[in-house]
């Protein structure tokens, strides 16, 4: 698993804009707390090459993969606690459950417990916002 600011990163396939080039079909790691986004380490070298070629050719948009291979997807999912495909609510609930589990064992370490409580506040707030969005779209 890959962590950021105490939260486990969520895997996803999406688009990323770097150096004026938007690259689609990129395996990403996303922190649900601080919103940090990184290219998955398994695809970082290939992403850098595609970005370099796009800059040389002055292309504004490109794709890392024409089609995402299910075998590659399985490899990316292995290193992530959660992998967001369509159900954002399920991913948020998984993250909250993980934080609650960690909170139980963090009692002796007050600073870690405080970090986890902050993480829970952020994740809970996002879950409530998502539920409100669902209700308003009905």
């Amino acid at each position: 698993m890959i962590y950021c600011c105490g939260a486990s990163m969520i895997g996803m396939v999406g688009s990323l804009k770097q150096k004026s080039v938007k690259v689609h079909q990129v395996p990403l790691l996303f922190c649900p707390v601080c919103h940090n986004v990184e290219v998955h380490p398994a695809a970082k070298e290939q992403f850098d090459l595609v970005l370099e070629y796009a800059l040389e050719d002055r292309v504004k948009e490109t794709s890392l993969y024409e089609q995402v291979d299910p075998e590659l997807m399985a490899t990316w999912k292995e290193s992530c606690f959660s992998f967001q495909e369509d159900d954002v609510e399920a991913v948020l609930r998984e993250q909250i459950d993980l934080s609650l589990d960690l909170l139980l064992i963090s009692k002796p370490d007050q600073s870690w417990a405080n970090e986890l409580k902050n993480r829970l506040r952020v994740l809970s707030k996002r879950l409530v916002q998502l539920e409100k969005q669902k209700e308003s779209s009905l």
Side-chain angles (χ1 to χ4, degrees):
M1 273 186 264
I2 300 170
Y3 297 93
C4 174
C5 72
S8 56
M9 302 282 275
I10 297 171
M12 62 194 316
V13 176
S15 299
L16 185 65
K17 187 171 184 174
Q18 271 193 0
K19 300 181 182 179
S20 76
V21 176
K22 190 170 189 175
V23 184
H24 302 284
Q25 297 289 82
V26 180
L28 300 170
L29 296 171
F30 170 74
C31 177
V33 176
C34 71
H35 292 237
N36 181 33
V37 177
E38 299 174 8
V39 176
H40 193 292
K44 180 70 171 129
E45 189 174 319
Q46 187 173 5
F47 174 81
D48 290 341
L49 281 172
V50 167
L51 183 63
E52 184 180 326
Y53 291 144
L55 288 168
E56 287 175 7
D57 295 341
R58 296 183 182 174
V59 173
K60 295 293 179 192
E61 264 186 75
T62 188
S63 182
L64 187 58
Y65 297 98
E66 289 301 314
Q67 219 172 3
V68 177
D69 179 7
E71 198 172 295
L72 280 174
M73 184 77 79
T75 303
W76 301 333
K77 287 181 179 182
E78 285 176 10
S79 62
C80 303
F81 175 76
S82 302
F83 198 90
Q84 181 177 326
E85 292 181 73
D86 290 329
D87 194 358
V88 177
E89 183 178 351
V91 170
L92 283 172
R93 290 188 186 283
E94 284 176 356
Q95 292 286 317
I96 289 170
D97 287 346
L98 176 63
S99 297
L100 288 169
D101 291 343
L102 291 173
L103 190 58
L104 288 174
I105 61 171
S106 71
K107 298 237 184 232
D109 187 342
Q110 193 59 40
S111 65
W112 185 27
N114 288 337
E115 286 176 26
L116 288 166
K117 287 175 186 175
N118 182 53
R119 177 179 171 194
L120 280 164
R121 275 191 292 279
V122 171
L123 293 171
S124 297
K125 184 178 177 182
R126 295 228 171 87
L127 184 59
V128 168
Q129 289 171 341
L130 182 65
E131 289 170 344
K132 284 181 183 178
Q133 287 175 348
K134 279 185 174 182
E135 288 174 7
S136 67
S137 67
L138 294 177

